[in-house]
Amino acid sequence: MNDHPTIESDQPAHAGTTETRRYAVNGLQAAADIRVDRWGVPHIKAASRSDAFFVQGFNAARDRLWQIDIWRKRGLGLLAADFGPGYLAQDRATRLFLYRGDMAAEWKSYGVQDAKETVERFVAGINAFVELTERDPALLSPEFALTGTRPARWEASDVVRIRSHAMVRNLEFEFGRARVLGHGTLEQDRARRWVDLGHTPFVPDDVDFSAIGDDVLEAFFLATAPVTFNKERLAATLDEADRWAVTDELGEIITAQRDEGSNNWAIAASRSATGRPVLASDPHRAYLMPSLRYVAHLRAPGLDVIGAGEPALPGISIGHNDKAAFGLTIFPIDQEDLYVYRTKPDDPDCYAYGDGFERMRVIQERVAVKGYGEQTLTLKFTRHGPIVHEDRARNLAYGVRTVWLEPGSAPYLSSLGYQDAASVEAFERALQSWSVPSTNQIYADVEGRIAWTPACKAPVRGGYDGMVPVPGDGRYEWDGFHSQTELPREIAPSHGYVASANEMNLPPGPAQELNIGYEFTDPFRAQRIREVLDSKPLHAFDDSCKLQCDDLSIPARRICAHLARSTSADKDTAFGLSLLQGWDHRLADDSAAALLFEVWWMRHLKPALLDLVSTDPKVRPRLAPGDHVTLLNWLNELAPAFGPLPEAKRSELLLSTLATAVADCRRRHGDDASTWRWSGWHHGYFQHPLANVYPDELRDVGPLHQGGSAQTVMSNGYRMSDGRAITGASFRMVVDVGQWDNSVFVNAPGQSGDVRSRHYDDHGKLWSERSYVPLIFSERAIERETRLHIVLAPDNAKRNSA
């Protein structure tokens, strides 16, 4: 076997040639290989399904070891051991949300016979690569040497016990509503968050919402926050540990409303220009460096599947096998509750329950802290879940019940059940045990069938709806979970497509009476997708790529309709009207009108509408940034929840705020409006968490031109401080079902997490340009496009010595 070469040469000197590397690997049962194509996708071929998942773990470590090592240490609450006291508060928070239940029940709950073996083989592959790095540290990406850390060995239980990336909801919405109700009304709260289905939230009369302070969910936000690094945090002393227990508007350690969601659709053969189904999926998550998703291809007897998953998890959650394709979006139901406990004044570890009191379970855990030795963390739990805040002055405590702490709720792991699904029925069977995140699952196969069904573990609530915090005294309990069979589904619909974009998509009838959630995502992306899919009888394959990158803003179209006949003698107002009247409402990269509209709506018109809802200083700040649906409906007099908005008053409000928006753009972007561009401010940026500490050795990717917003199909939610897009679709995939080599994808900024690799950022510019690369599948295409061939063999020396 050859010695291990450096990572940087994974693109051979001459395009079209292939570099070969060979490794003897401990734990591999038979020879296997990885062929990395010129777009960075590893095509894994193994002699057995068991070895395929082993090699998937090995390869994930090869390309993303720093990322998955931090993922594990963050999720298990082990950061302080490597990075010091500045991470101790985050360690405590994440430990509150570890799965601590029965492991036999845990493995059984996924409904996949070999779930435990699969995860064991996956982490064995990670550990095999870690073992290679111990012999050859040059295989490690630079972050380890820079921070003086080493990658840890994994156990299978690590993968399933870590739950704090679960994408479960609606704890933040409950908290936000409670903060408004402390001083305001439910009607005012609709300006903060729209409530679907015309529902009126249940509000218990014995919760003092004014007592719920800003810090009640700090531990929860901290548990779900990404790991951040800066010199001050890394240098923190033990006395300063509590300083690093607060999250900022990005969910980073120092959360606001997050625009995370997804789009997907499947077009039937009858509506496809190719005569074959087309499936498209683009999940929207935080923009990270490295990317959250990783694309891989697993091939073994009985297994042939390609697509995206999270690099720390086995299997493929979004992709296709040789018979069917599958994609998912978030189905935003309510899977968690915030409980308020009345505690004993003389014994705060006891809380009222039923006719008496119950004692919290108190756990003391010893944790290593770099430079300070072991410290003790105190964790408290009620029958419902972890205590996230104690208010000793008021004899109150706050705890969380969440589906993610139930058996079988390791996010996305149930996707192992549909890796080889070849029929709608098999796909649906595989989803019966799906828990989190709650998803809209879509499907398309070579027989021409398409389908949609939600998949989730939805609590049964009696007598309340989970919309606000409730007493934890036993009156508001879950009564098990709804059966998957109670949820709706759509198979081969007559209109020829299925689609979802996190909108309220429960059909009228029993599904809307399940009491599983009332806070779905803004409907604008879903409306636009259906508008385009309904616009013509046949759709070309490329039409789905264009639709994923569609930047038409329905909010812009609705708001600008009010300007159609407006005039003004004011210079700035007249200029604003000249830009927006006749505009096509697309948030295109090079559009001056797009820049003006977003500045107008987000910085001026929306705040002005919120000022009309309330000027109370205890209420108004808690309504921000304001709900798009509620405020647009108010402008259009569809839901005059805050009183009528007469046409004259509306016109004055529109024109006065437009004038201030034009002046704002001049101040921020210059007097010469011919140079204004939406992408001159709104931009993509992938920030390496350590680059600000080691700028000479590591680097970010960006800025990259970006159009769209959180309300367009090409979703790009951005922060108001500098226009940086922080959430959206860094991964996009469109599948030509049956002609698999025609399928395409992009995974920005690149497949690799190693700054030395060309695949670190080779998708960034493509993503910015709304381009794609082939998602090849056939042996012939893989052979043609291979640029790196990794040959793996069992380490017989290790095997013989065992």
Side-chain angles (χ1 to χ4, degrees), residues 478-521:
W478 295 359
D479 186 17
F481 300 93
H482 289 282
S483 166
Q484 186 75 25
T485 59
E486 297 178 71
L487 299 174
R489 64 176 184 165
E490 199 172 24
I491 300 174
S494 58
H495 52 269
Y497 67 84
V498 293
S500 68
N502 321 114
E503 79 283 12
M504 201 301 292
N505 56 0
L506 294 171
Q512 292 190 3
E513 299 170 4
L514 290 174
N515 193 33
I516 59 176
Y518 304 94
E519 294 171 293
F520 293 77
T521 303

Side-chain angles (χ1 to χ4, degrees), residues 122-133:
F122 180 79
V123 300
I126 294 174
N127 292 338
F129 187 82
V130 171
E131 181 179 324
L132 290 183
T133 70

Side-chain angles (χ1 to χ4, degrees), residues 262-267 271 280-282 284 329 442 497-503 522-536 539 543-544 546-550 552 554 557 711-715:
S262 310
N263 306 314
N264 65 18
W265 57 87
I267 300 172
R271 296 287 307 278
S281 189
D282 57 299
H284 307 160
T329 69
I442 62 166
Y497 67 84
V498 293
S500 68
N502 321 114
E503 79 283 12
D522 296 343
F524 310 119
R525 286 182 289 110
Q527 290 169 358
R528 177 59 179 165
I529 290 168
R530 286 177 169 79
E531 182 177 275
V532 172
L533 294 180
D534 288 336
S535 67
K536 58 184 181 180
H539 291 267
D543 288 341
S544 282
K546 293 174 183 176
L547 182 51
Q548 283 188 333
C549 300
D550 187 279
L552 185 138
I554 286 180
R557 189 166 66 187
Q711 282 70 52
T712 59
V713 177
M714 187 178 74
S715 179

Side-chain angles (χ1 to χ4, degrees), residues 3-23:
D3 289 337
H4 321 309
T6 60
I7 300 292
E8 64 183 353
S9 61
D10 62 0
Q11 171 68 13
H14 303 288
T17 62
T18 301
E19 176 192 349
T20 300
R21 303 179 190 173
R22 301 179 185 276
Y23 300 101

Side-chain angles (χ1 to χ4, degrees), residues 31-260:
D33 64 6
I34 307 167
R35 292 183 175 271
V36 181
D37 68 29
R38 62 188 171 111
W39 303 285
V41 176
H43 301 267
I44 293 165
K45 190 172 184 180
S48 66
R49 182 184 177 99
S50 174
D51 266 2
F53 289 113
F54 176 96
V55 178
Q56 185 186 18
F58 178 93
N59 180 75
R62 178 192 69 84
D63 241 356
R64 300 283 191 96
L65 185 56
W66 166 259
Q67 180 187 30
I68 65 174
D69 187 64
I70 288 294
W71 181 90
R72 176 186 172 277
K73 289 170 180 173
R74 169 198 167 278
L76 294 176
L78 300 173
L79 293 170
D82 276 357
F83 304 112
Y87 297 82
L88 192 58
Q90 190 168 11
D91 280 350
R92 179 186 177 277
T94 52
R95 287 169 183 248
L96 285 170
F97 289 94
L98 279 171
Y99 176 72
R100 296 174 180 270
D102 178 70
M103 288 305 297
E106 166 67 13
W107 292 115
K108 184 178 179 181
S109 296
Y110 292 99
V112 180
Q113 186 173 3
D114 61 351
K116 183 179 180 183
E117 178 194 352
T118 296
V119 178
E120 287 174 340
R121 292 297 289 158
F122 180 79
V123 300
I126 294 174
N127 292 338
F129 187 82
V130 171
E131 181 179 324
L132 290 183
T133 70
E134 292 167 353
R135 287 185 266 160
D136 184 0
L139 290 172
L140 292 172
S141 59
E143 294 92 340
F144 291 102
L146 291 170
T147 58
T149 60
R150 293 285 308 174
R153 302 292 181 100
W154 292 52
E155 297 181 6
S157 60
D158 298 343
V159 173
V160 296
R161 291 186 66 226
I162 296 171
R163 302 288 173 85
S164 46
H165 61 306
M167 289 287 289
V168 176
R169 65 202 59 75
N170 73 336
L171 205 63
E172 296 162 84
F173 301 152
E174 286 186 44
F175 174 68
R177 184 165 291 109
R179 297 288 287 143
V180 172
L181 292 181
H183 303 281
T185 67
L186 275 177
E187 286 304 316
Q188 290 173 326
D189 183 65
R190 289 181 187 271
R192 179 197 61 86
R193 183 75 190 181
W194 174 256
V195 178
D196 283 296
L197 297 173
H199 180 73
T200 299
F202 167 80
V203 180
D205 57 12
D206 52 352
V207 172
D208 181 4
F209 295 109
S210 67
I212 298 178
D214 292 336
D215 54 352
V216 163
L217 285 190
E218 276 185 2
F220 170 80
F221 293 139
L222 198 57
T224 55
V227 184
T228 60
F229 297 92
N230 59 57
K231 292 179 180 179
E232 187 181 7
R233 189 180 187 193
L234 289 166
T237 66
L238 199 57
D239 291 338
E240 298 171 324
D242 288 343
R243 288 183 55 202
W244 303 97
V246 181
T247 55
D248 71 3
E249 65 172 0
L250 302 183
E252 294 183 351
I253 313 303
I254 42 171
T255 148
Q257 186 169 306
R258 295 175 296 181
D259 294 313
E260 295 183 323

